[in-house]
Amino acid sequence: MPIPLLVQIPLDPLRLARIAAAGFEIHHAPTPAERAEMIPRLAPVLRAVLTNGATGMSAEAIATLPKLEIICCIGVGHETVDLRAAKARGIRVTNGPATNDVTVADHTWALILSIARNIPGADAAVRQGEWMNARGPRPIVFGKRLGIIGLGNIGRQIAERGERGFDMEIAYHNRARRPESPYAYLPSVKALAEWADYLVIAAPGGAGTRHLVNAEVLEALGPQGFLINIGRGSVVDTEALVAALHDGRIAGAAIDVVDGEPEVPPALAAAPRLIITPHIAGRSPEAMMATASLVAANLQAHFAGEPVKTPVPMPVD
């Protein structure tokens, strides 16, 4: 008999079918209203939940599911899953590292080049018959300084593309220095911003990184510096970013994530020198199916009594 699985994030039919084929009965409730209706009805039988880093799973939500055994996050993020509540119940938590890092790194470079060369603005101007107005000079990327906040799998791939493809100097800031990395380590985000021409956020969300990039960091990045965020929207102080863009205190920003997404603050949407994409950096067909396959593998391993493939480390009390 298929095992009941609550899917509480939007998921396309192909990935739902991939997970269902692994032996799971899908209950798809991607909106708060759908979950409010479905969870009380299915709580006595639900044994697994599929979520992501943005939606997560609170202690209160965990408490409503007495038979819950495993929480799977379909991407690498798990910052809003209450790990202490899960640990107290003996609930396993998994995530999806290394399933979409190639795709995210590709998208990061699309954003870097687009904001540096003002591709969206030039395209819009030409379509409006303003050919000459679209021909202002724009900075190059080749040979510039690339700073990366968060040198995990994704950050490393972004760095490698910058080094090998664009002959850039690379430096990074991380929670801890990576001795195996050939790149320069800078001791603070502010120091990295002062150094960089292009500052990329590839850090996870959560309380530890909230507003890591604030007004002081943006001031350090300066009027010739560009900010690119493919990590989490919460890492950036949105009000400070809007002010810096309006005042010309940074050259521009290109972001794939917004704090509070999918809602975009009107002031952010109206800001100049800004490119926003709707959290699509990891959404290639290849990556999407890889994430679904890893979820299926983790679920199957758990219910077969085997170690899961990609466990999230639990907090040490």
Side-chain angles (χ1 to χ4, degrees), residues 96-121:
T99 50
N100 63 5
D101 47 358
V102 170
T103 300
V104 175
D106 282 357
H107 191 81
T108 303
W109 274 97
L111 290 176
I112 291 172
L113 293 168
S114 292
I115 192 63
R117 303 301 297 172
N118 189 30
I119 300 301

Side-chain angles (χ1 to χ4, degrees), residues 1-30 38 41-42 45-46 48-50 74 292 295-296 299:
M1 178 179 294
I3 296 169
L5 169 67
L6 172 67
V7 178
Q8 61 174 22
I9 54 173
L11 216 60
D12 56 276
L14 282 177
R15 285 190 290 175
L16 289 172
R18 169 70 185 89
I19 296 166
F24 297 91
E25 180 182 86
I26 304 294
H27 299 277
H28 198 197
M38 187 177 291
R41 178 165 48 84
L42 297 175
V45 298
L46 283 172
V49 167
L50 177 56
I74 199 164
V295 166
L299 289 168

Side-chain angles (χ1 to χ4, degrees), residues 32-42:
E34 287 169 321
R35 289 193 291 277
E37 185 279 327
M38 187 177 291
I39 289 175
R41 178 165 48 84
L42 297 175

Side-chain angles (χ1 to χ4, degrees), residues 111-279:
L111 290 176
I112 291 172
L113 293 168
S114 292
I115 192 63
R117 303 301 297 172
N118 189 30
I119 300 301
D123 176 81
V126 170
R127 292 173 186 274
Q128 293 166 13
E130 300 175 359
W131 182 278
M132 297 307 296
N133 291 340
R135 301 188 72 235
R138 298 293 301 178
I140 63 171
V141 174
F142 189 88
K144 295 292 184 73
R145 291 177 168 182
L146 176 64
I148 300 175
I149 303 172
L151 199 69
N153 288 337
I154 292 170
R156 179 182 52 79
Q157 291 206 31
I158 294 166
E160 289 172 353
R161 285 159 171 74
E163 179 185 29
R164 298 174 185 176
F166 293 90
D167 198 25
M168 301 180 86
E169 290 185 67
I170 312 293
Y172 73 98
H173 176 75
N174 217 52
R175 285 174 292 185
R177 185 193 298 266
R178 292 192 172 273
E180 76 283 3
S181 173
Y183 308 123
Y185 173 80
L186 294 184
S188 70
V189 172
K190 182 182 177 184
L192 186 65
E194 288 175 338
W195 177 87
D197 299 305
Y198 297 90
L199 182 64
V200 173
I201 299 168
T209 59
R210 182 166 180 78
H211 291 183
L212 194 63
V213 174
N214 54 23
E216 184 181 24
V217 171
L218 295 171
E219 194 72 28
L221 183 59
Q224 305 303 314
F226 293 90
L227 179 72
I228 298 91
N229 188 7
I230 50 79
R232 283 291 184 266
S234 60
V235 179
V236 177
D237 182 334
T238 301
E239 290 186 9
L241 175 60
V242 170
L245 289 167
H246 275 290
D247 296 345
R249 285 185 279 115
I250 63 172
I255 61 177
D256 185 54
V257 286
V258 173
D259 197 8
E261 62 185 57
E263 300 301 322
V264 179
L268 182 66
R273 295 181 296 279
L274 175 68
I275 296 171
I276 307 177
T277 55
H279 205 152

